[in-house]
Amino acid sequence: MQAASTSVRAIGVARGARFKSTLAAAVIAAFFVGCASVSPIATQPLREYEGRLALTVHQATPQTWQARFRLEGTGAEGRLTLISPIGTTLALASWAPGSALIQRGNEINEYPSADAMLNALIGSGIQMAQLWRWVTNDPNPVPAWQVDQETRPDQSRIVIARRVSPEPALTFKLLLQP
C-alpha cells in the first residue's frame, strides 16, 4: 500500500511540477505578448533616394548651384550626402529630433534643427518637410511654392519647385533616379 501511495505522491509531484512549469511558461509568454502589443511611437520606414538637384536664385545676377545627392531616412531623421559632378563629397548632413549637423571635410557644424541645417546647406529657406514632400511625391501643396512633377519612361522623376515670393525667386529642381 505504501508503494502505491508513494507512486501517487510522485505522480502528484510530477503534475505539480508540470503545472508550475506550464504556469511559468504561460506567464513568460503573456509578458512577451504584452510587450509586443505595446505600440511603439509611430515611425516612418527608412527610405533612400538618389539623383541630382539644382537650385537657381533669380536675382540681378542669377546664381545656380547643382550636385548629385543621396538622401536616406525620413523627414524626422536621416542623412543627405551632396556629391560634386566629379564624384567628391561636398557635404554630409545628418539630422535627428533636436539636432542636426553638416560635415564638410574635417569641419563639422551643429544646428538646432533640420530646417536650420538645410538652410545653411543650400541657403534657400527650403524646409525639411518641403523637401520630403517633393521627394516622396506627396500631393499636398507646399505654401508659396508651385510644384510640377513628371515621371519619365525610365521611371526617373523630375520635380521642379518654383517660389516667386518672398524675393528672391527660387527654382529648385530634383531628378530622382528609379
mmCIF file of all heavy atoms in Angstrom, residues 5-54:
data_model
loop_
_atom_site.group_PDB
_atom_site.id
_atom_site.type_symbol
_atom_site.label_atom_id
_atom_site.label_comp_id
_atom_site.label_asym_id
_atom_site.label_seq_id
_atom_site.Cartn_x
_atom_site.Cartn_y
_atom_site.Cartn_z
ATOM 1 N N SER A 5 0.952 4.468 -2.542
ATOM 2 C CA SER A 5 0.833 5.831 -2.049
ATOM 3 C C SER A 5 2.028 6.664 -2.488
ATOM 4 O O SER A 5 1.901 7.836 -2.820
ATOM 5 C CB SER A 5 0.677 5.780 -0.528
ATOM 6 O OG SER A 5 1.327 6.797 0.108
ATOM 7 N N THR A 6 3.237 6.074 -2.530
ATOM 8 C CA THR A 6 4.433 6.779 -2.966
ATOM 9 C C THR A 6 4.340 7.106 -4.449
ATOM 10 O O THR A 6 4.682 8.204 -4.876
ATOM 11 C CB THR A 6 5.690 5.925 -2.689
ATOM 12 O OG1 THR A 6 5.724 5.607 -1.320
ATOM 13 C CG2 THR A 6 6.953 6.650 -3.092
ATOM 14 N N SER A 7 3.825 6.177 -5.258
ATOM 15 C CA SER A 7 3.709 6.456 -6.681
ATOM 16 C C SER A 7 2.633 7.489 -6.962
ATOM 17 O O SER A 7 2.758 8.302 -7.857
ATOM 18 C CB SER A 7 3.483 5.171 -7.479
ATOM 19 O OG SER A 7 2.255 4.595 -7.146
ATOM 20 N N VAL A 8 1.551 7.488 -6.158
ATOM 21 C CA VAL A 8 0.516 8.514 -6.319
ATOM 22 C C VAL A 8 1.108 9.873 -5.965
ATOM 23 O O VAL A 8 0.885 10.866 -6.641
ATOM 24 C CB VAL A 8 -0.729 8.184 -5.451
ATOM 25 C CG1 VAL A 8 -1.676 9.363 -5.393
ATOM 26 C CG2 VAL A 8 -1.429 6.968 -5.977
ATOM 27 N N ARG A 9 1.877 9.893 -4.881
ATOM 28 C CA ARG A 9 2.508 11.138 -4.464
ATOM 29 C C ARG A 9 3.498 11.596 -5.538
ATOM 30 O O ARG A 9 3.572 12.769 -5.873
ATOM 31 C CB ARG A 9 3.236 10.923 -3.137
ATOM 32 C CG ARG A 9 3.516 12.230 -2.443
ATOM 33 C CD ARG A 9 4.065 12.069 -1.040
ATOM 34 N NE ARG A 9 3.520 10.936 -0.342
ATOM 35 C CZ ARG A 9 4.202 10.120 0.449
ATOM 36 N NH1 ARG A 9 5.483 10.343 0.671
ATOM 37 N NH2 ARG A 9 3.654 9.100 1.035
ATOM 38 N N ALA A 10 4.257 10.710 -6.136
ATOM 39 C CA ALA A 10 5.217 11.049 -7.185
ATOM 40 C C ALA A 10 4.496 11.600 -8.402
ATOM 41 O O ALA A 10 4.945 12.572 -9.016
ATOM 42 C CB ALA A 10 6.040 9.821 -7.565
ATOM 43 N N ILE A 11 3.354 10.982 -8.730
ATOM 44 C CA ILE A 11 2.557 11.488 -9.849
ATOM 45 C C ILE A 11 2.053 12.881 -9.524
ATOM 46 O O ILE A 11 2.095 13.796 -10.348
ATOM 47 C CB ILE A 11 1.400 10.512 -10.194
ATOM 48 C CG1 ILE A 11 1.972 9.232 -10.771
ATOM 49 C CG2 ILE A 11 0.419 11.157 -11.143
ATOM 50 C CD1 ILE A 11 0.947 8.125 -10.953
ATOM 51 N N GLY A 12 1.596 13.077 -8.287
ATOM 52 C CA GLY A 12 1.114 14.400 -7.866
ATOM 53 C C GLY A 12 2.212 15.444 -7.918
ATOM 54 O O GLY A 12 2.014 16.571 -8.358
ATOM 55 N N VAL A 13 3.418 15.066 -7.464
ATOM 56 C CA VAL A 13 4.556 15.986 -7.501
ATOM 57 C C VAL A 13 4.908 16.298 -8.954
ATOM 58 O O VAL A 13 5.149 17.438 -9.326
ATOM 59 C CB VAL A 13 5.764 15.385 -6.741
ATOM 60 C CG1 VAL A 13 7.036 16.182 -7.010
ATOM 61 C CG2 VAL A 13 5.472 15.329 -5.264
ATOM 62 N N ALA A 14 4.909 15.257 -9.810
ATOM 63 C CA ALA A 14 5.219 15.466 -11.228
ATOM 64 C C ALA A 14 4.186 16.376 -11.868
ATOM 65 O O ALA A 14 4.517 17.278 -12.637
ATOM 66 C CB ALA A 14 5.289 14.127 -11.958
ATOM 67 N N ARG A 15 2.904 16.130 -11.559
ATOM 68 C CA ARG A 15 1.849 17.001 -12.105
ATOM 69 C C ARG A 15 1.996 18.419 -11.582
ATOM 70 O O ARG A 15 1.835 19.380 -12.319
ATOM 71 C CB ARG A 15 0.466 16.456 -11.751
ATOM 72 C CG ARG A 15 0.059 15.296 -12.571
ATOM 73 C CD ARG A 15 -1.349 14.902 -12.264
ATOM 74 N NE ARG A 15 -1.716 13.746 -13.044
ATOM 75 C CZ ARG A 15 -2.697 12.934 -12.741
ATOM 76 N NH1 ARG A 15 -3.420 13.147 -11.665
ATOM 77 N NH2 ARG A 15 -2.975 11.914 -13.515
ATOM 78 N N GLY A 16 2.325 18.554 -10.302
ATOM 79 C CA GLY A 16 2.519 19.889 -9.723
ATOM 80 C C GLY A 16 3.684 20.610 -10.368
ATOM 81 O O GLY A 16 3.614 21.791 -10.679
ATOM 82 N N ALA A 17 4.775 19.885 -10.603
ATOM 83 C CA ALA A 17 5.949 20.487 -11.255
ATOM 84 C C ALA A 17 5.605 20.878 -12.685
ATOM 85 O O ALA A 17 5.979 21.944 -13.163
ATOM 86 C CB ALA A 17 7.119 19.508 -11.233
ATOM 87 N N ARG A 18 4.864 19.968 -13.375
ATOM 88 C CA ARG A 18 4.450 20.264 -14.746
ATOM 89 C C ARG A 18 3.522 21.476 -14.758
ATOM 90 O O ARG A 18 3.634 22.348 -15.597
ATOM 91 C CB ARG A 18 3.762 19.043 -15.348
ATOM 92 C CG ARG A 18 3.714 19.067 -16.815
ATOM 93 C CD ARG A 18 3.187 17.802 -17.391
ATOM 94 N NE ARG A 18 2.818 16.865 -16.340
ATOM 95 C CZ ARG A 18 2.327 15.667 -16.530
ATOM 96 N NH1 ARG A 18 2.142 15.230 -17.730
ATOM 97 N NH2 ARG A 18 2.019 14.867 -15.535
ATOM 98 N N PHE A 19 2.599 21.554 -13.787
ATOM 99 C CA PHE A 19 1.679 22.681 -13.698
ATOM 100 C C PHE A 19 2.461 23.976 -13.465
ATOM 101 O O PHE A 19 2.218 24.990 -14.108
ATOM 102 C CB PHE A 19 0.661 22.452 -12.581
ATOM 103 C CG PHE A 19 -0.236 23.640 -12.344
ATOM 104 C CD1 PHE A 19 -1.262 23.922 -13.227
ATOM 105 C CD2 PHE A 19 -0.030 24.487 -11.261
ATOM 106 C CE1 PHE A 19 -2.086 25.021 -13.021
ATOM 107 C CE2 PHE A 19 -0.842 25.581 -11.064
ATOM 108 C CZ PHE A 19 -1.877 25.854 -11.937
ATOM 109 N N LYS A 20 3.433 23.924 -12.538
ATOM 110 C CA LYS A 20 4.238 25.114 -12.248
ATOM 111 C C LYS A 20 5.040 25.548 -13.464
ATOM 112 O O LYS A 20 5.129 26.729 -13.767
ATOM 113 C CB LYS A 20 5.163 24.852 -11.057
ATOM 114 C CG LYS A 20 4.447 24.801 -9.738
ATOM 115 C CD LYS A 20 5.403 24.511 -8.615
ATOM 116 C CE LYS A 20 4.660 24.354 -7.296
ATOM 117 N NZ LYS A 20 5.556 23.966 -6.209
ATOM 118 N N SER A 21 5.631 24.585 -14.192
ATOM 119 C CA SER A 21 6.418 24.965 -15.365
ATOM 120 C C SER A 21 5.511 25.486 -16.477
ATOM 121 O O SER A 21 5.862 26.412 -17.189
ATOM 122 C CB SER A 21 7.280 23.805 -15.849
ATOM 123 O OG SER A 21 6.480 22.748 -16.317
ATOM 124 N N THR A 22 4.305 24.884 -16.609
ATOM 125 C CA THR A 22 3.347 25.375 -17.599
ATOM 126 C C THR A 22 2.891 26.774 -17.222
ATOM 127 O O THR A 22 2.787 27.661 -18.071
ATOM 128 C CB THR A 22 2.142 24.418 -17.707
ATOM 129 O OG1 THR A 22 2.627 23.126 -18.029
ATOM 130 C CG2 THR A 22 1.163 24.886 -18.761
ATOM 131 N N LEU A 23 2.611 26.978 -15.926
ATOM 132 C CA LEU A 23 2.186 28.302 -15.454
ATOM 133 C C LEU A 23 3.297 29.325 -15.686
ATOM 134 O O LEU A 23 3.048 30.430 -16.174
ATOM 135 C CB LEU A 23 1.819 28.242 -13.965
ATOM 136 C CG LEU A 23 1.387 29.563 -13.331
ATOM 137 C CD1 LEU A 23 0.121 30.087 -14.025
ATOM 138 C CD2 LEU A 23 1.149 29.395 -11.847
ATOM 139 N N ALA A 24 4.543 28.952 -15.392
ATOM 140 C CA ALA A 24 5.669 29.866 -15.601
ATOM 141 C C ALA A 24 5.813 30.200 -17.081
ATOM 142 O O ALA A 24 6.025 31.360 -17.452
ATOM 143 C CB ALA A 24 6.953 29.247 -15.070
ATOM 144 N N ALA A 25 5.673 29.179 -17.934
ATOM 145 C CA ALA A 25 5.767 29.416 -19.377
ATOM 146 C C ALA A 25 4.645 30.343 -19.839
ATOM 147 O O ALA A 25 4.850 31.236 -20.661
ATOM 148 C CB ALA A 25 5.719 28.097 -20.139
ATOM 149 N N ALA A 26 3.445 30.142 -19.304
ATOM 150 C CA ALA A 26 2.307 30.996 -19.681
ATOM 151 C C ALA A 26 2.534 32.434 -19.230
ATOM 152 O O ALA A 26 2.242 33.387 -19.957
ATOM 153 C CB ALA A 26 1.014 30.444 -19.100
ATOM 154 N N VAL A 27 3.056 32.605 -18.024
ATOM 155 C CA VAL A 27 3.328 33.963 -17.517
ATOM 156 C C VAL A 27 4.383 34.649 -18.381
ATOM 157 O O VAL A 27 4.240 35.805 -18.769
ATOM 158 C CB VAL A 27 3.755 33.918 -16.031
ATOM 159 C CG1 VAL A 27 4.321 35.251 -15.576
ATOM 160 C CG2 VAL A 27 2.581 33.509 -15.161
ATOM 161 N N ILE A 28 5.450 33.903 -18.716
ATOM 162 C CA ILE A 28 6.507 34.473 -19.560
ATOM 163 C C ILE A 28 5.959 34.813 -20.940
ATOM 164 O O ILE A 28 6.210 35.892 -21.478
ATOM 165 C CB ILE A 28 7.704 33.503 -19.648
ATOM 166 C CG1 ILE A 28 8.413 33.447 -18.295
ATOM 167 C CG2 ILE A 28 8.680 33.921 -20.746
ATOM 168 C CD1 ILE A 28 9.444 32.352 -18.176
ATOM 169 N N ALA A 29 5.160 33.913 -21.516
ATOM 170 C CA ALA A 29 4.566 34.175 -22.830
ATOM 171 C C ALA A 29 3.658 35.391 -22.773
ATOM 172 O O ALA A 29 3.671 36.238 -23.666
ATOM 173 C CB ALA A 29 3.799 32.952 -23.326
ATOM 174 N N ALA A 30 2.846 35.490 -21.717
ATOM 175 C CA ALA A 30 1.947 36.642 -21.583
ATOM 176 C C ALA A 30 2.749 37.933 -21.465
ATOM 177 O O ALA A 30 2.380 38.962 -22.026
ATOM 178 C CB ALA A 30 1.040 36.467 -20.369
ATOM 179 N N PHE A 31 3.880 37.866 -20.750
ATOM 180 C CA PHE A 31 4.722 39.045 -20.610
ATOM 181 C C PHE A 31 5.226 39.499 -21.974
ATOM 182 O O PHE A 31 5.135 40.660 -22.335
ATOM 183 C CB PHE A 31 5.901 38.736 -19.682
ATOM 184 C CG PHE A 31 6.916 39.841 -19.625
ATOM 185 C CD1 PHE A 31 6.666 40.991 -18.893
ATOM 186 C CD2 PHE A 31 8.107 39.744 -20.315
ATOM 187 C CE1 PHE A 31 7.594 42.017 -18.860
ATOM 188 C CE2 PHE A 31 9.030 40.755 -20.286
ATOM 189 C CZ PHE A 31 8.781 41.894 -19.551
ATOM 190 N N PHE A 32 5.754 38.532 -22.766
ATOM 191 C CA PHE A 32 6.283 38.897 -24.074
ATOM 192 C C PHE A 32 5.181 39.330 -25.029
ATOM 193 O O PHE A 32 5.370 40.244 -25.815
ATOM 194 C CB PHE A 32 7.114 37.770 -24.675
ATOM 195 C CG PHE A 32 8.474 37.656 -24.033
ATOM 196 C CD1 PHE A 32 8.821 36.529 -23.326
ATOM 197 C CD2 PHE A 32 9.380 38.697 -24.117
ATOM 198 C CE1 PHE A 32 10.063 36.445 -22.728
ATOM 199 C CE2 PHE A 32 10.617 38.617 -23.525
ATOM 200 C CZ PHE A 32 10.967 37.481 -22.825
ATOM 201 N N VAL A 33 4.036 38.697 -24.977
ATOM 202 C CA VAL A 33 2.924 39.128 -25.826
ATOM 203 C C VAL A 33 2.493 40.527 -25.419
ATOM 204 O O VAL A 33 2.250 41.385 -26.257
ATOM 205 C CB VAL A 33 1.743 38.129 -25.736
ATOM 206 C CG1 VAL A 33 0.491 38.714 -26.347
ATOM 207 C CG2 VAL A 33 2.109 36.830 -26.417
ATOM 208 N N GLY A 34 2.460 40.783 -24.128
ATOM 209 C CA GLY A 34 2.109 42.123 -23.650
ATOM 210 C C GLY A 34 3.106 43.152 -24.116
ATOM 211 O O GLY A 34 2.754 44.240 -24.546
ATOM 212 N N CYS A 35 4.391 42.803 -24.083
ATOM 213 C CA CYS A 35 5.420 43.730 -24.563
ATOM 214 C C CYS A 35 5.283 43.962 -26.055
ATOM 215 O O CYS A 35 5.458 45.056 -26.543
ATOM 216 C CB CYS A 35 6.816 43.180 -24.272
ATOM 217 S SG CYS A 35 7.244 43.232 -22.524
ATOM 218 N N ALA A 36 4.974 42.904 -26.766
ATOM 219 C CA ALA A 36 4.854 43.026 -28.212
ATOM 220 C C ALA A 36 3.636 43.829 -28.610
ATOM 221 O O ALA A 36 3.620 44.473 -29.646
ATOM 222 C CB ALA A 36 4.789 41.637 -28.854
ATOM 223 N N SER A 37 2.600 43.821 -27.786
ATOM 224 C CA SER A 37 1.388 44.526 -28.173
ATOM 225 C C SER A 37 1.433 46.009 -27.828
ATOM 226 O O SER A 37 0.576 46.756 -28.242
ATOM 227 C CB SER A 37 0.161 43.874 -27.527
ATOM 228 O OG SER A 37 0.214 44.048 -26.118
ATOM 229 N N VAL A 38 2.427 46.444 -27.055
ATOM 230 C CA VAL A 38 2.567 47.857 -26.757
ATOM 231 C C VAL A 38 3.019 48.543 -28.033
ATOM 232 O O VAL A 38 4.022 48.172 -28.623
ATOM 233 C CB VAL A 38 3.593 48.101 -25.624
ATOM 234 C CG1 VAL A 38 3.841 49.579 -25.437
ATOM 235 C CG2 VAL A 38 3.099 47.464 -24.341
ATOM 236 N N SER A 39 2.267 49.510 -28.469
ATOM 237 C CA SER A 39 2.585 50.184 -29.723
ATOM 238 C C SER A 39 3.744 51.145 -29.527
ATOM 239 O O SER A 39 3.686 52.012 -28.670
ATOM 240 C CB SER A 39 1.371 50.973 -30.222
ATOM 241 O OG SER A 39 0.325 50.092 -30.472
ATOM 242 N N PRO A 40 4.800 50.985 -30.317
ATOM 243 C CA PRO A 40 5.894 51.960 -30.240
ATOM 244 C C PRO A 40 5.445 53.275 -30.873
ATOM 245 O O PRO A 40 4.433 53.319 -31.568
ATOM 246 C CB PRO A 40 7.001 51.305 -31.065
ATOM 247 C CG PRO A 40 6.285 50.413 -32.018
ATOM 248 C CD PRO A 40 5.030 49.958 -31.308
ATOM 249 N N ILE A 41 6.219 54.306 -30.635
ATOM 250 C CA ILE A 41 5.927 55.587 -31.282
ATOM 251 C C ILE A 41 5.956 55.355 -32.773
ATOM 252 O O ILE A 41 6.836 54.672 -33.294
ATOM 253 C CB ILE A 41 6.979 56.639 -30.864
ATOM 254 C CG1 ILE A 41 6.870 56.900 -29.359
ATOM 255 C CG2 ILE A 41 6.816 57.916 -31.656
ATOM 256 C CD1 ILE A 41 7.955 57.783 -28.820
ATOM 257 N N ALA A 42 4.971 55.896 -33.458
ATOM 258 C CA ALA A 42 4.869 55.672 -34.903
ATOM 259 C C ALA A 42 6.143 56.141 -35.593
ATOM 260 O O ALA A 42 6.581 57.264 -35.394
ATOM 261 C CB ALA A 42 3.665 56.414 -35.463
ATOM 262 N N THR A 43 6.733 55.261 -36.363
ATOM 263 C CA THR A 43 7.922 55.619 -37.116
ATOM 264 C C THR A 43 7.655 55.400 -38.591
ATOM 265 O O THR A 43 6.873 54.539 -38.967
ATOM 266 C CB THR A 43 9.140 54.771 -36.700
ATOM 267 O OG1 THR A 43 8.819 53.393 -36.896
ATOM 268 C CG2 THR A 43 9.513 55.009 -35.254
ATOM 269 N N GLN A 44 8.297 56.201 -39.385
ATOM 270 C CA GLN A 44 8.173 56.055 -40.821
ATOM 271 C C GLN A 44 9.261 55.101 -41.286
ATOM 272 O O GLN A 44 10.342 55.056 -40.706
ATOM 273 C CB GLN A 44 8.379 57.415 -41.500
ATOM 274 C CG GLN A 44 7.398 58.465 -41.071
ATOM 275 C CD GLN A 44 7.809 59.841 -41.587
ATOM 276 O OE1 GLN A 44 8.933 60.056 -42.014
ATOM 277 N NE2 GLN A 44 6.896 60.773 -41.530
ATOM 278 N N PRO A 45 8.980 54.322 -42.319
ATOM 279 C CA PRO A 45 10.032 53.444 -42.815
ATOM 280 C C PRO A 45 11.174 54.270 -43.401
ATOM 281 O O PRO A 45 10.955 55.339 -43.961
ATOM 282 C CB PRO A 45 9.325 52.624 -43.901
ATOM 283 C CG PRO A 45 8.141 53.438 -44.301
ATOM 284 C CD PRO A 45 7.758 54.243 -43.091
ATOM 285 N N LEU A 46 12.386 53.773 -43.247
ATOM 286 C CA LEU A 46 13.531 54.460 -43.828
ATOM 287 C C LEU A 46 13.464 54.348 -45.339
ATOM 288 O O LEU A 46 13.151 53.305 -45.886
ATOM 289 C CB LEU A 46 14.837 53.855 -43.314
ATOM 290 C CG LEU A 46 15.103 54.031 -41.836
ATOM 291 C CD1 LEU A 46 16.422 53.366 -41.468
ATOM 292 C CD2 LEU A 46 15.142 55.491 -41.448
ATOM 293 N N ARG A 47 13.768 55.422 -45.987
ATOM 294 C CA ARG A 47 13.724 55.452 -47.445
ATOM 295 C C ARG A 47 15.052 55.939 -47.968
ATOM 296 O O ARG A 47 15.786 56.631 -47.276
ATOM 297 C CB ARG A 47 12.617 56.391 -47.914
ATOM 298 C CG ARG A 47 11.250 55.926 -47.464
ATOM 299 C CD ARG A 47 10.197 56.877 -47.933
ATOM 300 N NE ARG A 47 8.885 56.398 -47.541
ATOM 301 C CZ ARG A 47 7.786 57.006 -47.860
ATOM 302 N NH1 ARG A 47 7.796 58.114 -48.557
ATOM 303 N NH2 ARG A 47 6.625 56.534 -47.479
ATOM 304 N N GLU A 48 15.344 55.586 -49.221
ATOM 305 C CA GLU A 48 16.580 56.022 -49.855
ATOM 306 C C GLU A 48 16.258 56.576 -51.234
ATOM 307 O O GLU A 48 15.465 55.986 -51.970
ATOM 308 C CB GLU A 48 17.552 54.852 -49.995
ATOM 309 C CG GLU A 48 18.042 54.320 -48.679
ATOM 310 C CD GLU A 48 19.052 53.201 -48.842
ATOM 311 O OE1 GLU A 48 19.695 53.107 -49.913
ATOM 312 O OE2 GLU A 48 19.204 52.427 -47.891
ATOM 313 N N TYR A 49 16.875 57.696 -51.543
ATOM 314 C CA TYR A 49 16.688 58.346 -52.842
ATOM 315 C C TYR A 49 18.047 58.802 -53.336
ATOM 316 O O TYR A 49 18.904 59.208 -52.554
ATOM 317 C CB TYR A 49 15.763 59.560 -52.725
ATOM 318 C CG TYR A 49 14.394 59.211 -52.218
ATOM 319 C CD1 TYR A 49 14.103 59.265 -50.861
ATOM 320 C CD2 TYR A 49 13.395 58.807 -53.092
ATOM 321 C CE1 TYR A 49 12.843 58.931 -50.398
ATOM 322 C CE2 TYR A 49 12.135 58.470 -52.630
ATOM 323 C CZ TYR A 49 11.868 58.539 -51.281
ATOM 324 O OH TYR A 49 10.627 58.195 -50.817
ATOM 325 N N GLU A 50 18.218 58.761 -54.643
ATOM 326 C CA GLU A 50 19.439 59.272 -55.269
ATOM 327 C C GLU A 50 19.049 60.046 -56.507
ATOM 328 O O GLU A 50 17.997 59.797 -57.103
ATOM 329 C CB GLU A 50 20.370 58.124 -55.669
ATOM 330 C CG GLU A 50 20.999 57.437 -54.499
ATOM 331 C CD GLU A 50 22.093 56.474 -54.916
ATOM 332 O OE1 GLU A 50 22.818 56.773 -55.894
ATOM 333 O OE2 GLU A 50 22.227 55.440 -54.257
ATOM 334 N N GLY A 51 19.896 60.986 -56.875
ATOM 335 C CA GLY A 51 19.633 61.751 -58.081
ATOM 336 C C GLY A 51 20.494 62.988 -58.150
ATOM 337 O O GLY A 51 21.593 63.035 -57.597
ATOM 338 N N ARG A 52 19.951 63.992 -58.804
ATOM 339 C CA ARG A 52 20.639 65.281 -58.946
ATOM 340 C C ARG A 52 19.698 66.378 -58.479
ATOM 341 O O ARG A 52 18.466 66.246 -58.578
ATOM 342 C CB ARG A 52 21.039 65.512 -60.400
ATOM 343 C CG ARG A 52 22.082 64.528 -60.879
ATOM 344 C CD ARG A 52 22.633 64.906 -62.241
ATOM 345 N NE ARG A 52 21.575 65.138 -63.209
ATOM 346 C CZ ARG A 52 21.394 64.429 -64.317
ATOM 347 N NH1 ARG A 52 22.196 63.433 -64.594
ATOM 348 N NH2 ARG A 52 20.431 64.716 -65.146
ATOM 349 N N LEU A 53 20.292 67.458 -58.010
ATOM 350 C CA LEU A 53 19.491 68.612 -57.634
ATOM 351 C C LEU A 53 20.166 69.875 -58.140
ATOM 352 O O LEU A 53 21.371 69.907 -58.346
ATOM 353 C CB LEU A 53 19.243 68.680 -56.125
ATOM 354 C CG LEU A 53 20.423 68.779 -55.164
ATOM 355 C CD1 LEU A 53 20.893 70.219 -55.013
ATOM 356 C CD2 LEU A 53 19.987 68.245 -53.816
ATOM 357 N N ALA A 54 19.348 70.888 -58.355
ATOM 358 C CA ALA A 54 19.861 72.196 -58.792
ATOM 359 C C ALA A 54 19.003 73.270 -58.147
ATOM 360 O O ALA A 54 17.786 73.122 -58.027
ATOM 361 C CB ALA A 54 19.820 72.321 -60.310
#
